[in-house]
Amino acid sequence: MTGRPEPLFPLFASLETLPGVGPKTAKLMANMSVATPRDLIFTLPTGGVDRTPVVSVRDAILPGVVTVQVTVGRHIAPSSRGRPYRIEVEDAKTTFQVVYFRGSADLHAKTLPTGQKRILSGKVELYEGIAQMPHPDHVLVEGERLPAFEPVYPLTGGISSRIMARAVEAAVQRVPELAEWIDPALVAERGWPAFGDALRQAHHPEDAGDLSPGTAARQRLAYDELFAHQLTLALARSTDRRRAGVVTEGDGRLRRKVLASLPFEATDAQKRCIGEIATDMGQPRRMNRLLQGDVGSGKTLVALMALLTAAEAGGQGVLMAPTEILARQHAEGLRPMADTAGVVLELLTGRDKNRERQAKLDALARGDIAILVGTHAVFQRDVVFADLRLAVIDEQHRFGVRQRMLLGEKNAATDVLVMTATPIPRSLALTQYGDMDISVLDEKPPGRTPVQTATVPVSRMDDVIAKLRHAVAEGRQAYWVCPLVEESEVVDTTSAEERFRSLRAALGEGVVGLVHGQMQPSEKDAAMADFVSAKTQVLVATTVIEVGVDVPNASIMVIERAETFGLAQLHQLRGRVGRGAAASTCLLMYKAPLGEAAEARLRILRESEDGFRISEEDLALRGAGDVIGTAQSGLPRFRIADLERHAGLMELASRDARSLLAKDADLASARGQAARLLLWLTEQDRALRLLSVG
Ligand code: ADP
Ligand code: MG
């Protein structure tokens, strides 16, 4: 990484080089993640104060901020300790008082000398019938002027707004003239100001409207931030794609056989995704692709087609699931189709031990196994493939971004397909997966009956159980999800066990099963198997069943304390039913009274089954970090851009970044050079490293 460009030095100097900032203030600013003048220029005002002068406080609405010219009158020293220092002042129509609770008489005499004219600005209030201005924000001599609208910055304890504003202003003045890095056509189309102008406008609002995220200046600055971020991801993507991969092209014979044997036809969305993946696998580059599809959209078939492509080409494919239950279920679901195709599919999990495990590893190393399904056990060091062409990772959000990277390191040439059933808004998908290519299953297989969703207070528990008894008598099956009361598995387990006992008492011994995270794997399997075979009709569970589990006959989902769950999670849970032909029900039980946000979440669920719409609403209700789960999201923190309000800009930035790199992979052109400066300015270290090695 070559050094930071010189024109940017003043923006990365120490904060103490700014007027009014000493070591103490600098330390306090660090609490707001402000370490350099650069950080200050990207800290935009969050509010503003109208300082338009008035003739008299008599014309103002009190209490309120007033800017008015006065003649200073008498100073009245405090009559006793603890009383304030007062100064009478007279404007064009009336007399009022300036009040100080701090400061020396000397200082006050200097600031407001009797007989002189001053312009005061500050909050005026009535105290015992007398108008007074405690501690004016500004005291100006004649001829000095205040901006009519003064920006207000986010503050932290110990830093006054005056110090902050002064430091920001000085930092903004250090911004050099910089060449344009945005596509000029876009700048023209949007009527955006140049970077420096945009900063100056954003820091000098003229009215409240100028504080809105929709102003041209703020849009541009948000775009800069998003563009820098997307440029990093696009660089990562293109570096990745420049790495050699293996061309995996099948002749289609296995895929055709399987498709012909299915009782249904692939949806158009499935066909499109299958095609996109096959094309990508056929390139001499490494595939790094995300398959996004709502629960029940049929991702498994798409994955299988990709795995069969690897097999047709004489290679191997692996499918990794986040849990033992899911790995098993995938293996069982896929085996008949693998048999139809005539390829060997094997399951490998942490439970395989000793000779059995070794036999599987040997077969794998010989290339006798075409498709391996398993948990992360499939990526242990001693697991060696003869010719691994494709890794499919199911339910990605359980793995996290880091594991995705690890996988890439393990086998640099292997094509990677990540599947996620968590629909996330497009802007977030681009933020999190902008370094990947994305295929979207935006259509569900036909013939699903919608799930009836209702909300019920927990006080009606007896009714719910009575209805459940009725349904069980009709042969229906139900999940009963217990609340996530605390961030503790043990507590959740206890509540699940209690519910299990009470439901067993109400519905009968053999009818109810239980599965939770603290059980032994074999116990879990047994409980699941009993439910799959309908030996048990009600399965009490913690959220371990959230992801992927497929029991088509289950048509009732009861979620206890639904208000404590996130929207995406509720949607996932509900997705466990509505898989068969029978009409399904989802009961969201809540403890009254519901808070506003919880009420909104439950309402959205009642209104929609569209995962993408739900995820957009989720984003609107919560912050971006929350939607993905901040801890594992690795989501960047933007200072100006807001993923809800600037959602459209992310898409634009992504396209712009990719198209710039397509023309100018090393950012060597004039615009490329300007973009490099942006990367420095926005501290996109990862991008700068990629550029220096590339
Ligand atoms: P996802 O993993 O995306 O949640 P699955 O792949 O488990 O969804 O598919 C859900 C169900 O839909 C499965 O029972 C599957 O057999 C069925 N299915 C998949 N594709 C189709 C299709 N094109 N038409 C009808 N049913 C389908
Ligand atoms: Mg699935």
Side-chain angles (χ1 to χ4, degrees):
M1 197 161 37
T2 47
R4 174 185 296 138
E6 212 166 318
L8 298 182
F9 283 4
L11 289 173
F12 286 90
S14 104
L15 281 174
E16 290 169 45
T17 60
L18 295 170
V21 181
K24 208 175 114 221
T25 304
K27 219 170 168 182
L28 290 170
M29 283 183 171
N31 295 339
M32 314 164 57
S33 320
V34 169
T36 58
R38 177 213 89 102
D39 297 335
L40 283 176
I41 66 173
F42 289 123
T43 305
L44 298 189
T46 49
V49 180
D50 189 351
R51 302 225 184 251
T52 316
V54 295
V55 170
S56 168
V57 296
R58 210 184 256 181
D59 305 332
I61 297 163
L62 303 183
V65 172
V66 178
T67 303
V68 65
Q69 191 180 52
V70 298
T71 305
V72 181
R74 199 155 65 99
H75 283 231
I76 309 163
S79 54
S80 62
R81 268 179 75 92
R83 307 281 298 166
Y85 190 99
R86 296 168 180 280
I87 303 156
E88 283 184 355
V89 296
E90 191 182 352
D91 66 26
K93 294 185 190 170
T94 188
T95 304
F96 63 98
Q97 292 187 343
V98 173
V99 177
Y100 288 105
F101 292 87
R102 295 185 302 272
S104 65
D106 273 2
L107 184 68
H108 301 321
K110 232 183 259 167
T111 324
L112 292 168
T114 305
Q116 302 275 312
K117 283 199 162 49
R118 288 290 183 273
I119 297 156
L120 302 178
S121 187
K123 189 167 178 191
V124 177
E125 57 202 19
L126 288 174
Y127 182 74
E128 291 174 350
I130 303 168
Q132 62 175 37
M133 181 186 284
H135 295 269
D137 301 332
H138 300 278
V139 179
L140 307 181
V141 297
E142 264 191 298
E144 283 185 314
R145 287 185 52 127
L146 274 176
F149 191 76
E150 186 186 47
V152 172
Y153 288 95
L155 295 176
T156 179
I159 296 187
S160 73
S161 59
R162 206 176 319 181
I163 287 179
M164 182 71 181
R166 190 157 164 233
V168 173
E169 182 59 33
V172 170
Q173 276 173 16
R174 289 187 183 183
V175 175
E177 275 314 305
L178 298 170
E180 184 58 85
W181 47 72
I182 305 180
D183 177 4
L186 180 62
V187 173
E189 180 204 310
R190 300 270 168 151
W192 281 341
F195 176 70
D197 294 336
L199 272 179
R200 284 181 285 272
Q201 286 171 26
H203 284 286
H204 301 135
E206 288 174 5
D207 53 40
D210 285 350
L211 299 169
S212 134
T215 63
R218 285 195 182 224
Q219 291 256 333
R220 187 220 148 103
L221 296 174
Y223 187 82
D224 288 334
E225 216 176 2
L226 299 176
F227 182 57
H229 169 67
Q230 285 298 324
L231 212 45
T232 299
L233 292 176
L235 271 164
R237 171 176 174 268
S238 66
T239 308
D240 214 40
R241 289 177 77 84
R242 264 189 268 175
R243 272 204 268 168
V246 180
V247 173
T248 298
E249 259 178 335
D251 55 10
R253 83 204 126 86
L254 302 179
R255 282 169 285 174
R256 270 195 302 275
K257 245 192 240 173
V258 170
L259 287 175
S261 75
L262 294 176
F264 52 75
E265 201 191 337
T267 63
D268 288 342
Q270 283 172 321
K271 287 179 193 160
R272 175 168 37 77
C273 291
I274 290 168
E276 284 168 1
I277 293 164
T279 306
D280 216 355
M281 290 175 70
Q283 304 294 314
R285 298 176 307 232
R286 188 171 151 232
M287 174 169 82
N288 187 19
R289 184 171 284 275
L290 178 73
L291 175 63
Q292 226 201 336
D294 205 350
V295 280
S297 58
K299 289 182 293 295
T300 314
L301 179 64
V302 176
L304 177 67
M305 291 298 119
L307 292 165
L308 289 177
T309 307
E312 283 169 11
Q316 294 164 300
V318 59
L319 170 63
M320 175 164 74
T323 64
E324 183 90 30
I325 292 179
L326 281 174
R328 232 157 251 287
Q329 200 169 287
H330 267 311
E332 278 155 27
L334 291 174
R335 187 163 282 123
M337 294 189 267
D339 288 348
T340 304
V343 301
V344 178
L345 180 146
E346 197 51 83
L347 174 71
L348 183 72
T349 73
R351 263 186 263 166
D352 289 297
K353 296 266 148 59
N354 309 328
R355 289 203 3 234
E356 202 186 340
R357 180 167 193 274
Q358 195 53 51
K360 286 182 186 177
L361 296 190
D362 292 344
L364 203 60
R366 281 195 308 269
D368 290 351
I369 296 171
I371 298 175
L372 185 71
V373 178
T375 54
H376 33 259
V378 299
F379 287 119
Q380 272 157 12
R381 190 174 300 164
D382 59 343
V383 180
V384 179
F385 293 83
D387 182 11
L388 181 63
R389 298 296 186 90
L390 172 71
V392 181
I393 306 176
D394 193 15
E395 313 296 359
Q396 136 87 12
H397 61 296
R398 285 294 170 99
F399 284 104
V401 179
R402 195 168 300 138
Q403 272 134 319
R404 190 172 97 212
M405 301 281 181
L406 279 179
L407 171 65
E409 282 159 24
K410 174 152 178 123
N411 197 330
T414 301
D415 287 333
V416 174
L417 179 67
V418 168
M419 301 200 288
T420 170
T422 315
I424 56 177
R426 178 108 181 112
S427 60
L428 278 188
L430 286 169
T431 307
Q432 208 188 10
Y433 305 111
D435 58 335
M436 307 178 83
D437 293 289
I438 304 184
S439 291
V440 182
L441 277 177
D442 48 8
E443 176 191 5
K444 287 199 191 176
R448 299 276 161 90
T449 25
V451 179
Q452 288 282 348
T453 301
T455 46
V456 190
V458 281
S459 56
R460 284 180 46 204
M461 179 68 78
D462 291 347
D463 291 352
V464 172
I465 292 178
K467 278 204 189 112
L468 191 59
R469 189 180 301 121
H470 200 74
V472 164
E474 287 178 341
R476 295 174 71 185
Q477 282 184 286
Y479 294 99
W480 187 296
V481 178
C482 291
L484 252 169
V485 189
E486 279 168 54
E487 292 293 311
S488 146
E489 280 261 343
V490 182
V491 177
D492 296 340
T493 302
T494 314
S495 74
E497 278 168 348
E498 269 166 29
R499 182 58 64 212
F500 169 63
R501 278 193 290 275
S502 69
L503 285 180
R504 214 165 44 164
L507 302 174
E509 279 289 313
V511 177
V512 187
L514 172 68
V515 59
H516 60 68
Q518 303 280 294
M519 284 163 64
Q520 290 299 319
S522 56
E523 291 176 305
K524 266 196 260 183
D525 284 353
M528 284 308 299
D530 284 349
F531 191 60
V532 171
S533 66
K535 206 172 131 197
T536 52
Q537 281 178 268
V538 177
L539 185 65
V540 177
T542 53
T543 49
V544 293
I545 58 150
E546 178 193 341
V547 182
V549 174
D550 193 12
V551 181
N553 189 49
S555 60
I556 299 170
M557 170 65 65
V558 181
I559 304 172
E560 237 184 281
R561 297 297 304 274
E563 79 278 10
T564 63
F565 293 88
L567 200 41
Q569 206 174 16
L570 289 170
H571 174 66
Q572 286 287 326
L573 287 169
R574 180 174 58 180
R576 300 300 114 220
V577 296
R579 310 196 135 219
S584 297
T585 310
C586 176
L587 284 184
L588 304 171
M589 300 191 73
Y590 63 90
K591 189 164 165 214
L594 274 181
E596 214 173 293
E599 155 118 56
R601 286 205 298 276
L602 299 189
R603 187 178 51 239
I604 291 161
L605 277 172
R606 273 202 314 264
E607 286 170 2
S608 177
E609 268 193 80
D610 176 348
F612 285 96
R613 186 191 146 204
I614 290 171
S615 75
E616 297 282 352
E617 303 263 6
D618 202 18
L619 177 59
L621 283 176
R622 310 191 280 154
D626 287 343
V627 173
I628 297 186
T630 318
Q632 57 166 347
S633 71
L635 215 57
R637 293 195 183 287
F638 297 115
R639 282 186 189 258
I640 298 174
D642 174 327
L643 289 180
E644 285 158 57
R645 299 210 174 91
H646 299 123
L649 292 181
M650 182 66 93
E651 177 113 44
L652 213 56
S654 169
R655 253 185 284 144
D656 196 11
R658 286 186 184 195
S659 86
L660 174 59
L661 285 178
K663 284 179 289 206
D664 180 15
D666 302 313
L667 296 183
S669 67
R671 194 184 152 207
Q673 294 289 343
R676 278 173 184 258
L677 226 85
L678 172 68
L679 293 174
W680 279 106
L681 193 59
T682 50
E683 299 187 305
Q684 296 288 335
D685 295 347
R686 186 169 152 219
L688 293 164
R689 268 197 308 274
L690 287 170
L691 278 169
S692 69
V693 297

